[in-house]
Amino acid sequence: MTNIIIAAGIALVFVMVGTPVWIRIVNRLGYGQMIRDEGPEAHLNKRGTPTMGGTVFIVGSLVGYAAAHLFTGEVPTISGILVLFLMTGLGLVGFVDDYIKVFKQRSLGLRSGAKMIGIVLVGVVFAVGSLNFPNGYDVTPADPHISFLRDFGPSIGPYLFVVWALLLIAAMSNGVNLTDGLDGLAAGPAGMVLAAYVIIGNWQLRNSCAAALAPNCYSVRDPLDLAVVAAAVLGGVFGFLWWNAPPAKIFMGDTGSLALGGVLVGLAILTRTQLLLAILCGLIVMITLSVIIQVGGFKMTRKRVFKMAPLQHHFELSGWAETTIVVRFWLMSATFVAIGIGLFYLEWMPKK
C-alpha cells in the first residue's frame, strides 16, 4: 500500500508544480491550441490556449512510479513496464500530432493513416510483450483469452489476441480523444476509472491464486504493480485536472488523450478485465457511439441525429453551460464506474 500512496503523491505534486512551468514554456514558444472552424462558436475564444499538457502528466506518472519503487526498494515488474510503455508510446504519437498542429497552425495534425501506423506499432509491441515473460508460476502478463471479470472461453490464439488488443487500443485511445472536447471532460472520468483499477489491482493481490488456490482466485501476474501504475497515472491526471478544469489554463491535446486511452486498455488487458472496461468507461463509450450514430445516420438518411457530435457538443448547442455538461457527465461516469466495481466484487463473492 505504501508504494501506491508514494506513486500517487509524487505524481500529483510533480504535475501540480510542473504544469504552470509547461504553460509558460508553451506560451513562450507560441504553441497554442488550434480550434476547428466547424466546431461550436463558443470554442473560438479558446484558440491559443496552451496545449500538449499530456506531456506533463505522462512524465509525472513515470516519475511517481519510479519514486515508489526507489523508496520501497521493490523491483519494477514487466507488467508495469508494459503498461507504461503503451501509455508513453501512444503519448509520443499524440505529441507528434499536436506538434504538427501548432507548428503549422492548423486544426489537423498527423494524417489518419500515419497516426494509425504509430498506434499499431506501439500496440503490437505491447500485445506481443504481454504474451511473454512468464513468472515462476508460468503466468504471463496476459494470455490469449477474451476477458470480462476474468478470462473466459477458449483461447483465441496469439495472433487473434494481438488483433483484439489492437482493436481495444485504437478504440479507447480514439474514444478518449473524442471525449476531450470540453475543459476537464476527459481527465475527470479517466481519473475515476484509474481509481477503479487501483481497487481492482489491490483486490486481485489479496485474492491471488499465487497465495492460495481458492475457487475465485485471480491468475494475474503482477496485480500490485498494476495498482501502482494506476495510482501514479491517477495522481498525474488529478494534478493536471487542477489546471484543466473549466476554464482550462491548458489542454491535454492528443498527447494526453492517446496516452490515457493506452493506459486504460493496458490495465484492462493485464488485469484480465477487457470487457469490463466498456462499463467502467461507459461515458467514453457513449460519446464514441454518438459519433458513429451521427456519421452512420447521416450517410443513410442525410439527416443528423444530434445537433453536433460528439455528444457533449449536442448539449452545448442545446443551450447547456459548459460546466453543467462537464459536471453532469462526470456524475454519469461515476455511476458507470460504481456499476463496474460492483459487478467485479459480486462476481468474486463465493457462491453458496
Side-chain angles (χ1 to χ4, degrees):
M1 194 66 180
T2 302
N3 46 5
I4 290 175
I5 296 172
I6 292 173
I10 295 292
L12 174 64
V13 172
F14 182 96
V15 178
M16 284 280 290
V17 175
T19 302
V21 176
W22 181 252
I23 291 173
R24 288 195 292 272
I25 293 172
V26 172
N27 275 330
R28 190 174 298 121
L29 294 173
Y31 291 168
Q33 178 71 30
M34 298 300 298
I35 304 296
R36 293 181 306 151
D37 293 332
E38 63 270 23
E41 189 174 337
H43 287 206
L44 294 178
N45 61 4
K46 298 183 181 185
R47 188 187 302 270
T49 301
T51 187
M52 295 188 284
T55 305
V56 187
F57 69 70
I58 292 171
V59 175
S61 301
L62 296 174
V63 170
Y65 178 82
H69 288 82
L70 182 64
F71 291 149
T72 61
E74 296 182 6
V75 179
T77 67
I78 188 62
S79 296
I81 291 170
L82 282 169
V83 175
L84 291 174
F85 165 79
L86 183 60
M87 175 186 75
T88 308
L90 294 186
L92 182 59
V93 175
F95 184 89
V96 173
D97 186 53
D98 286 333
Y99 183 79
I100 291 173
K101 291 175 186 175
V102 298
F103 183 75
K104 294 191 174 182
Q105 291 294 290
R106 66 188 195 191
S107 59
L108 296 176
L110 276 174
R111 295 183 182 276
S112 58
K115 183 187 285 189
M116 188 54 63
I117 288 172
I119 292 173
V120 167
L121 288 176
V122 175
V124 166
V125 173
F126 166 81
V128 172
S130 70
L131 295 177
N132 291 280
F133 306 104
N135 62 8
Y137 298 96
D138 202 33
V139 178
T140 51
D143 70 31
H145 284 80
I146 294 175
S147 61
F148 178 38
L149 304 170
R150 60 182 73 240
D151 288 340
F152 67 86
S155 169
I156 62 175
Y159 297 109
L160 277 178
F161 176 81
V162 170
V163 173
W164 169 241
L166 288 175
L167 289 173
L168 292 176
I169 292 167
M172 186 53 61
S173 57
N174 282 288
V176 177
N177 195 20
L178 291 171
T179 304
D180 185 36
L182 298 178
D183 299 351
L185 184 58
M192 296 177 197
V193 179
L194 288 164
Y197 275 110
V198 174
I199 296 171
I200 288 171
N202 263 293
W203 193 259
Q204 290 177 332
L205 172 70
R206 297 175 188 279
N207 298 279
S208 172
C209 295
L213 290 174
N216 292 329
C217 66
Y218 297 97
S219 182
V220 176
R221 190 189 191 283
D222 305 297
L224 177 59
D225 208 39
L226 292 173
V228 173
V229 170
V233 184
L234 172 62
V237 168
F238 272 18
F240 175 76
L241 188 56
W242 180 269
W243 304 102
N244 182 238
K249 301 294 189 297
I250 188 170
F251 300 141
M252 70 170 66
D254 281 20
T255 307
S257 59
L258 294 187
L260 282 179
V263 74
L264 293 177
V265 171
L267 289 168
I269 290 174
L270 300 196
T271 57
R272 319 295 173 92
T273 55
Q274 299 157 16
L275 299 181
L276 180 63
L277 184 65
I279 297 175
L280 295 172
C281 294
L283 176 66
I284 296 171
V285 173
M286 279 176 47
I287 289 173
T288 304
L289 286 175
S290 73
V291 175
I292 295 172
I293 292 169
Q294 182 83 326
V295 174
F298 186 77
K299 285 183 176 179
M300 289 188 293
T301 66
R302 311 309 294 176
K303 294 182 180 179
R304 290 180 172 86
V305 178
F306 305 104
K307 294 180 180 179
M308 183 179 287
L311 187 60
Q312 61 269 26
H313 298 325
H314 169 81
F315 290 107
E316 272 192 291
L317 296 182
S318 297
W320 289 25
E322 181 172 356
T323 51
T324 301
I325 298 169
V326 171
V327 171
R328 287 177 177 174
F329 276 35
W330 282 0
L331 291 173
M332 285 193 288
S333 180
T335 302
F336 282 119
V337 170
I339 292 170
I341 288 293
L343 288 172
F344 182 81
Y345 176 73
L346 288 174
E347 188 272 343
W348 172 86
M349 290 184 66
K351 310 296 189 294
K352 293 183 180 180

